[in-house]
Amino acid sequence: MTADLPRLTPQKEPPLPLPERHVLLCTSDSCRKRGARKVCKALRKALAERGLKRRVQLVPVDCLKQCGHGPMALVYPDATWYAGLERDDVPRLVEEHLEGGKPLEARLYRRAHGKRGEG
Ligand code: FES
């Protein structure tokens, strides 16, 4: 005896693209006061201009619990923390890390990555 289950139909749409990277960018109070919105806007624009919107998912998020060191960002899948990001950092962040896979040393969050970084 077979149950009356709904039939699954084959998908006609292409599968959703899976981003290669996610950038969680804090836009909460402390980071916003330090320029997070400018960074967010510049990053969104740079990703669009370089045709990376599908490969890199920018996600403005609430507080990442590292207030005072911002603007903060956390990039996955490599779990790279950034601190003190500025709008002028965006071109290198996109080119070197988000496209090239090499984190931007100058803005790495020291608390997460040792002496090399900020914060
Ligand atoms: S407000 Fe950005 S880490 Fe808390």
Side-chain angles (χ1 to χ4, degrees), residues 20-21 50 52 55-56 75-80 82 91-105 108 116:
E20 296 167 20
R21 297 186 194 280
R50 296 183 79 99
L52 295 171
R55 288 176 52 198
V56 179
V75 179
Y76 282 108
D78 45 315
T80 301
Y82 287 107
R92 287 186 59 211
L93 175 67
V94 170
E95 185 176 331
E96 292 179 23
H97 188 175
L98 303 179
E99 277 191 298
K102 183 173 178 259
L104 186 59
E105 294 263 344
L108 289 176
R116 321 177 273 179

Side-chain angles (χ1 to χ4, degrees), residues 12-103:
K12 293 180 182 172
E13 299 173 21
L16 281 175
L18 294 176
E20 296 167 20
R21 297 186 194 280
H22 288 82
V23 180
L24 310 184
L25 178 67
C26 177
T27 54
S28 199
D29 292 350
S30 174
C31 288
R32 190 173 57 240
K33 287 177 187 160
R34 293 166 171 256
R37 283 189 174 164
K38 290 177 184 170
V39 173
C40 189
K41 190 174 175 183
L43 191 48
R44 184 170 286 127
K45 185 174 180 224
L47 293 174
E49 286 174 355
R50 296 183 79 99
L52 295 171
K53 283 174 71 176
R54 288 180 179 258
R55 288 176 52 198
V56 179
Q57 181 81 51
L58 172 61
V59 186
V61 296
D62 204 356
C63 182
L64 289 169
K65 310 297 185 221
Q66 302 301 319
C67 308
H69 301 283
M72 298 296 301
L74 179 56
V75 179
Y76 282 108
D78 45 315
T80 301
W81 279 95
Y82 287 107
L85 283 173
E86 296 178 4
R87 182 172 41 192
D88 291 347
D89 297 323
V90 167
R92 287 186 59 211
L93 175 67
V94 170
E95 185 176 331
E96 292 179 23
H97 188 175
L98 303 179
E99 277 191 298
K102 183 173 178 259

